[in-house]
Amino acid sequence: ETVLKQSPDTLSLSPGERATLSCRASESVRSRYLAWYQDKPGQAPRLLIYGASSRATGIPDRFSGGGSETDVTLTISRLEPEDFAVYYCQQYGNSPPTFGGGTRVEIK
Amino acid sequence: EVHLSESGGGFVQPGGSLRLSCAASGFNFNLYGMSWVRQSPGKGPEWVAGIDGGGDNTYYADSVRGRFTISRDNSKNTLFLQMSSLRAEDTAVYYCAKEVEYIGSPLFEYWGQGVLVIVST
């Protein structure tokens, strides 16, 4: 199966700063079918980005994605207080679908 | 508004069985594939099983194949996960998730809040 490695494990930043999260796949993911989710305690995970770079419905434009079939990034241009959470990447181009281990974005 | 609500979780001994349900609303349930995704403490999510919109095709992770069965009742907008021969490593929060297409696209557009399953003596 395709293994996804996220880095860093934790990102300590202040509101207003830029966050850059990385996700590396162990093999090429078909059609760049890579996604990012936001996970907060007590809430359902939320889809942010799909197809490596397309924002899901209702997602603010401070969230952006990019990259290749093996390396993708999630950028949050200016952190808002509600953005401090855990973020997971997922690939859905290869079978079975798999997730990364997550990056925690915490308040510095 | 899409709403997914899981139920049926709880405490079970190793080797036991449990049936999870997921009530869906706010979309045409029979037009979309659905999946179960679980998350153990301190780990990333793990896809468990998926089913197409009509219920004709099912898919499983190797870790649960032969022990878990995914099904759906489109007349009641409900998704199920029958879990048997449960092991300690099945302990997790289980989420139901709506896929973006009828079949073959495990991109999870909406998730429920999750239900906790604990397998222990």
Side-chain angles (χ1 to χ4, degrees):
Chain A
E1 68 179 37
T2 304
V3 176
L4 299 181
K5 174 62 178 175
Q6 291 187 238
S7 61
D9 290 337
T10 303
L11 207 47
S12 298
L13 295 167
S14 301
E17 289 193 296
R18 181 184 188 91
T20 302
L21 290 66
S22 295
C23 175
R24 172 164 290 180
S26 60
E27 59 186 334
S28 181
V29 175
R30 179 178 64 91
S31 301
R32 289 204 318 158
Y33 281 168
L34 289 132
W36 290 93
Y37 299 87
Q38 180 189 66
D39 191 14
K40 294 182 180 180
Q43 297 186 19
R46 180 169 72 147
L47 174 65
L48 301 174
I49 301 288
Y50 65 94
S53 59
S54 297
R55 268 189 300 276
T57 304
I59 301 304
D61 60 8
R62 65 179 181 274
F63 291 91
S64 63
S68 68
E69 288 82 358
T70 56
D71 288 273
V72 290
T73 58
L74 172 69
T75 301
I76 310 172
S77 58
R78 288 177 56 85
L79 283 164
E80 297 288 340
E82 62 267 27
D83 298 337
F84 292 92
V86 179
Y87 293 84
Y88 295 100
C89 61
Q90 180 223 346
Q91 67 80 20
Y92 54 103
N94 303 341
S95 183
T98 52
F99 291 83
T103 291
R104 179 178 301 278
V105 179
E106 65 177 25
I107 300 176
K108 187 174 182 180
Chain B
E1 181 187 358
V2 172
H3 189 63
L4 301 170
S5 179
E6 303 92 340
S7 60
F11 184 96
V12 61
Q13 292 189 338
S17 299
L18 213 54
R19 189 193 199 202
L20 305 184
S21 299
C22 172
S25 61
F27 64 102
N28 290 323
F29 185 67
N30 62 312
L31 295 183
Y32 293 93
M34 297 290 293
S35 277
W36 288 96
V37 179
R38 68 185 180 185
Q39 188 167 14
S40 303
K43 292 188 175 182
E46 177 192 14
W47 173 80
V48 172
I51 188 168
D52 69 8
D56 299 314
N57 296 285
T58 57
Y59 312 89
Y60 297 95
D62 288 345
S63 58
V64 306
R65 186 174 289 112
R67 301 188 299 121
F68 290 12
T69 301
I70 188 171
S71 62
R72 63 194 296 162
D73 184 341
N74 285 348
S75 69
K76 296 182 179 178
N77 288 358
T78 304
L79 178 72
F80 302 101
L81 185 67
Q82 178 67 47
M83 305 185 293
S84 60
S85 302
L86 282 161
R87 307 167 180 167
E89 54 265 36
D90 295 318
T91 294
V93 174
Y94 284 73
Y95 297 93
C96 70
K98 172 188 175 293
E99 299 179 10
V100 295
E101 294 182 1
Y102 179 90
I103 186 172
S105 183
L107 171 64
F108 308 117
E109 188 177 18
Y110 293 98
W111 301 55
Q113 297 274 10
V115 64
L116 179 61
V117 172
I118 298 174
V119 184
S120 176
T121 54

